[in-house]
Amino acid sequence: MKKIVISFSVLAIYGIYSIGIRHQSPVIGKPASLKNNNNTIASNNTSNSLSTSSSSNSNSNSNSSSTSSVTTSSKYTDGTYVGPTEDAYYGNVQVSVTISGGKINDVKFLQYPNSHYTSVIINQQAMPYLKQEAIQSQSSNVQLISGATFTSQAFVQSLQAALNKA
Amino acid sequence: MGMPITVEIIQINYQKPFDKVFSYFHEVDDRFSPYKSDSELSKVNNGLNPSDWSKEMKEVMELCAQTKRITGGYFDIDMGGKIDTSGLVKGWAINNAADMLLDMGFKDFYIEAGGDIQVYGNNEDGLPWEIGIRNPFNIDEIVKVVKLTNKGIATSGTYIRGQHIYNPHENYSHPTNIMSLSVIAPNIFEADRFATAAFAMGKSGIAFIDAIPEMEAYLIDNKRIATLSRGFTNYVA
């Protein structure tokens, strides 16, 4: 039963990708007056197609705030940062992070409940100091979705075995 | 990488930048695919001498070793004797491709590969990009929407109960009872590798991400409860 569920789910994923729903024109419900006269070209390597989704423009009444864009880099700023002491329920956690070349170069645990933290079987209970919520389906239409993909070899092997038996 | 890749650039009417990005991804896939027998990674797994590794392979291997060190060993490319760089290469490649577009002068665009995303600037409405986090219990749904500019977001996890990312520290039983962990970072390279490592930590992964500056996370467990790092709400639409 589990194997059937696995194969069905994966087929469903591929089905969704293959019909290209990720490639539809963005359907974000915004007032027409906010629309800029931009052309958006989206391209997808699976289809090699060039689809132009012309955002139906009504007027060039663009909001001026969007034009004064601040050029902030997506890189980290080089330096060493010491984080605050986190009161994790199992003890204090504090890290020092060193950035060089815009990348995290080192993370040191200044405080940890156990100095050999890598070998600790970390308690699996939730951190009480972090906010929690029950997940709820959102109705918003978004262009982009972040989700996990199956990259683990073990999974692929397991999947293949499941499909072979399906 | 065997996954759909989407590139969108605002205010462009020619094809060439897309071709450059996709040809780069093909190049990366040809080199790092664990499923292609003639990829360089497969040759490495069959004993290719490190002195014969390409510049890219050396860079990725160094980044993997460094990531393993700074994540306390939770990021590990050794999959039972075979090396698999998938936990880092995707974010690394997206980041490099985004840098290519930045170098060409583009300011408003995104690159998405298999659920990992780097956004720059704004969307066609001149507003931050809106990104949904997929419901791990129902792939047709999203359960959170974040607004991002100049950021990377990556999600590690599984959509199938009982399947887990390999945890190098777990030899005893099922490691985690978390379904997905989404990480927002200044770029997708950091987001991807830290999402991979933090997911392997189980529920403690959220505390690990929370302690790192400019990094936020949204963890969904098997009881459908989400835990938010403290700065995460700043991005919630």
Side-chain angles (χ1 to χ4, degrees), chain B residues 19-60:
Chain B
D19 292 343
K20 287 192 82 162
V21 166
F22 286 120
S23 105
Y24 174 71
F25 276 109
H26 280 297
E27 202 178 288
V28 170
D29 189 41
D30 289 343
R31 194 183 297 284
F32 291 101
S33 173
Y35 312 116
K36 292 182 175 171
S37 59
D38 60 342
S39 72
E40 190 181 345
L41 185 72
S42 293
K43 289 174 186 162
V44 167
N45 273 323
N46 287 322
L48 182 69
N49 196 309
S51 59
D52 295 328
W53 291 359
S54 65
K55 180 168 64 72
E56 292 81 1
M57 183 60 70
K58 284 176 184 159
E59 181 185 343
V60 164

Side-chain angles (χ1 to χ4, degrees), chain A residues 22 38-40 50 72 74 76 86 95 104-106 118 122 124 131-133 135 138 143-144 146-149, chain B residues 8 15 66 72 112 114-115 120 132 142 144 150 155 159 186 190 193 203-204 211 213 218 226-228 230:
Chain A
R22 302 166 67 76
N38 292 335
N39 280 332
T40 301
L50 176 72
T72 48
S74 77
Y76 273 106
E86 307 285 351
V95 299
I104 296 178
N105 199 40
D106 201 9
T118 56
I122 299 171
Q124 295 291 310
K131 187 185 159 197
Q132 294 194 311
E133 64 189 24
I135 59 168
Q138 310 278 305
Q143 269 173 292
L144 279 159
S146 181
T149 49
Chain B
E8 183 171 331
Q15 176 69 26
Q66 188 244 15
E112 184 262 1
Y120 274 100
I142 55 171
K144 208 73 187 169
N150 304 335
T155 298
Y159 298 118
E190 302 293 6
R193 62 180 185 152
K203 281 193 173 175
S204 301
Y218 191 79
T227 308
L228 293 70
R230 283 165 302 167

Side-chain angles (χ1 to χ4, degrees), chain B residues 7 12 23 27 39 64 73 82 91 94 103 105 113 116 130 168 186 200 213 232:
Chain B
V7 178
I12 183 175
S23 105
E27 202 178 288
S39 72
C64 287
K82 290 285 180 192
I94 297 171
D103 288 344
D116 289 357
E130 290 193 5
F232 187 86

Side-chain angles (χ1 to χ4, degrees), chain A residues 81-165:
Chain A
Y81 304 86
V82 177
T85 306
E86 307 285 351
D87 184 19
Y89 80 104
Y90 54 81
N92 289 337
V93 179
Q94 189 179 30
V95 299
S96 153
V97 179
T98 305
I99 316 287
S100 64
K103 289 177 181 167
I104 296 178
N105 199 40
D106 201 9
V107 177
K108 282 200 175 70
F109 286 78
L110 304 179
Q111 289 187 53
Y112 202 84
N114 183 318
S115 58
H116 302 288
Y117 70 93
T118 56
S119 63
V120 169
I121 298 167
I122 299 171
N123 196 313
Q124 295 291 310
Q125 289 181 34
M127 306 293 125
Y129 66 100
L130 295 177
K131 187 185 159 197
Q132 294 194 311
E133 64 189 24
I135 59 168
Q136 276 187 319
S137 175
Q138 310 278 305
S139 58
S140 172
N141 282 312
V142 293
Q143 269 173 292
L144 279 159
I145 295 176
S146 181
T149 49
F150 310 111
T151 49
S152 121
Q153 181 72 42
F155 174 77
V156 172
Q157 286 166 350
S158 159
L159 170 68
Q160 193 56 52
L163 291 176
N164 289 345
K165 289 180 183 173

Side-chain angles (χ1 to χ4, degrees), chain A residues 41-112:
Chain A
I41 295 179
S43 179
N44 187 314
N45 73 334
T46 51
S47 60
N48 266 335
S49 68
L50 176 72
S51 64
T52 307
S53 68
S54 54
S55 56
S56 57
N57 174 52
S58 50
N59 55 50
S60 54
N61 214 4
S62 61
N63 49 349
S64 56
S65 63
S66 67
T67 56
S68 60
S69 63
V70 185
T71 48
T72 48
S73 166
S74 77
K75 304 295 184 213
Y76 273 106
T77 310
D78 288 2
T80 298
Y81 304 86
V82 177
T85 306
E86 307 285 351
D87 184 19
Y89 80 104
Y90 54 81
N92 289 337
V93 179
Q94 189 179 30
V95 299
S96 153
V97 179
T98 305
I99 316 287
S100 64
K103 289 177 181 167
I104 296 178
N105 199 40
D106 201 9
V107 177
K108 282 200 175 70
F109 286 78
L110 304 179
Q111 289 187 53
Y112 202 84

Side-chain angles (χ1 to χ4, degrees), chain B residues 75-104:
Chain B
F75 181 95
D76 197 345
I77 58 172
D78 186 344
M79 299 289 174
K82 290 285 180 192
I83 284 171
D84 187 348
T85 56
S86 306
L88 173 148
V89 158
K90 192 171 29 159
W92 174 79
I94 297 171
N95 203 44
N96 290 343
D99 283 349
M100 287 163 52
L101 293 178
L102 287 177
D103 288 344
M104 289 181 227

